[in-house]
Amino acid sequence: FFFKQKTAYDLSLGLVGSEMCIRDRPTFDIDWDRTALCVIDIQNYLADTNSGLIEMLNNRIPETGDYYDHRVQEIMIPNARRLIDAFRKHNREVIYTRHGALLPDSRDMIKRRQRRDADAEDNTGRPAMWSAGSFEHQIVEQLTPLPHELVIDKNSSSPFNGTGIDQLLHNLDLETLVITGAATDMCVETTGRDAADRGYNVIVVEDATATFQEEHHIAALSGLARVYTQVWKTDQVLGSLEDSFDSKG
């Protein structure tokens, strides 16, 4: 009943939950001149219908594959495309992350991750994640980074663990991050929490993120919205961004 009656966006606004949840929602002012779009892990292994995890899910767990593939192709990628276009139009930073081993044999990954990939190979004939340089590791063609845009390779869920992203964001004089990508309850959520704990203002875009089950998507966003981040729709981000630059003439 809980998940069927309210959308993830409703929950993120505190329309369901305690008075404390509503009171504790993060508030901040947005300076769009100091705001970047972060595109989290929209790679072929997570977002290409004919390869990686979607192909595996469609073969082994069709119901989950159908839900996730539709969410990715019809909702997340188109809205991420709209956000990227708008940020580029206004010369705002677009920053990409790619998740996977940095070395071909994955020895740079934590041991638990190495075991998980070995188990996935045994059970499905393919890893759960692919290393840098592979087709699966690349950003999907629809969202290809431009040559001047920052692409950060990470071998952990959050780029704030194991990369220099925090220093780079400071160098770029950024204070607010708008997050899109996958998976909502994994790398998106972890990145949002880590960024908020380091003092960044964070907006997670509900309809530009995706994960494998709707209830996990909802739970992740409602948790983030309670303490760590604001949760917006794509249209809200685009409208606020346009209004900011229109007001400057």
Side-chain angles (χ1 to χ4, degrees):
F1 175 82
F2 184 77
F3 295 120
K4 296 299 183 183
Q5 298 303 313
K6 295 293 181 178
T7 67
Y9 183 60
D10 291 333
L11 292 172
S12 75
L13 291 177
L15 298 179
V16 173
S18 67
E19 180 181 347
M20 179 181 292
C21 179
I22 296 172
R23 185 173 65 247
D24 289 351
R25 289 206 315 266
T27 59
F28 47 79
D29 295 322
I30 302 169
D31 179 354
W32 288 101
D33 287 328
R34 301 183 63 196
T35 299
L37 178 67
C38 293
V39 182
I40 303 296
D41 304 352
I42 307 185
Q43 299 160 255
N44 288 318
Y45 90 89
L46 271 174
D48 179 71
T49 296
N50 299 312
S51 64
L53 295 183
I54 295 179
E55 183 184 31
M56 182 274 292
L57 288 170
N58 285 335
N59 289 332
R60 296 174 65 89
I61 318 173
E63 183 177 354
T64 299
D66 287 346
Y67 165 78
Y68 179 68
D69 195 16
H70 177 268
R71 175 86 194 181
V72 167
Q73 308 305 331
E74 302 300 326
I75 300 173
M76 182 184 73
I77 288 177
N79 283 327
R81 177 77 259 173
R82 295 169 65 205
L83 290 164
I84 290 168
D85 289 345
F87 273 71
R88 287 173 177 171
K89 172 185 173 182
H90 293 293
N91 296 314
R92 299 301 93 206
E93 298 287 348
V94 179
I95 299 170
Y96 293 79
T97 68
R98 299 186 298 197
H99 193 190
L102 305 179
L103 299 173
D105 63 1
S106 301
R107 69 181 186 276
D108 58 294
M109 304 289 281
I110 60 172
K111 298 301 182 185
R112 173 178 55 79
R113 182 82 243 191
Q114 292 182 43
R115 289 194 298 272
R116 180 180 170 188
D117 278 355
D119 289 343
E121 287 267 18
D122 290 341
N123 292 328
T124 69
R126 67 184 71 201
M129 191 171 295
W130 281 259
S131 61
S134 65
F135 168 79
E136 289 83 358
H137 188 265
Q138 298 303 311
I139 302 296
V140 296
E141 184 178 8
Q142 304 96 304
L143 308 180
T144 300
L146 296 179
H148 67 274
E149 291 172 337
L150 189 61
V151 179
I152 297 173
D153 288 331
K154 60 188 178 73
N155 65 358
S156 57
S157 295
S158 166
F160 290 95
N161 296 317
T163 84
I165 191 172
D166 193 25
Q167 183 64 57
L168 294 170
L169 296 176
H170 282 293
N171 292 350
L172 293 167
D173 195 30
L174 296 169
E175 66 178 17
T176 299
L177 306 179
V178 176
I179 295 180
T180 175
T184 315
D185 56 336
M186 300 178 202
C187 295
V188 168
E189 182 178 13
T190 308
T191 301
R193 289 173 183 263
D194 282 354
D197 274 350
R198 287 165 173 79
Y200 295 97
N201 305 323
V202 182
I203 297 168
V204 177
V205 189
E206 186 278 326
D207 56 354
T209 54
T211 193
F212 305 101
Q213 288 90 26
E214 182 182 13
E215 56 265 36
H216 294 175
H217 180 73
I218 291 169
L221 293 177
S222 58
L224 284 171
R226 180 180 175 274
V227 176
Y228 297 97
T229 79
Q230 293 185 13
V231 179
W232 290 23
K233 292 280 194 181
T234 298
D235 286 344
Q236 284 182 280
V237 177
L238 298 178
S240 183
L241 180 61
E242 291 293 338
D243 288 348
S244 171
F245 284 94
D246 286 346
S247 67
K248 298 175 183 179

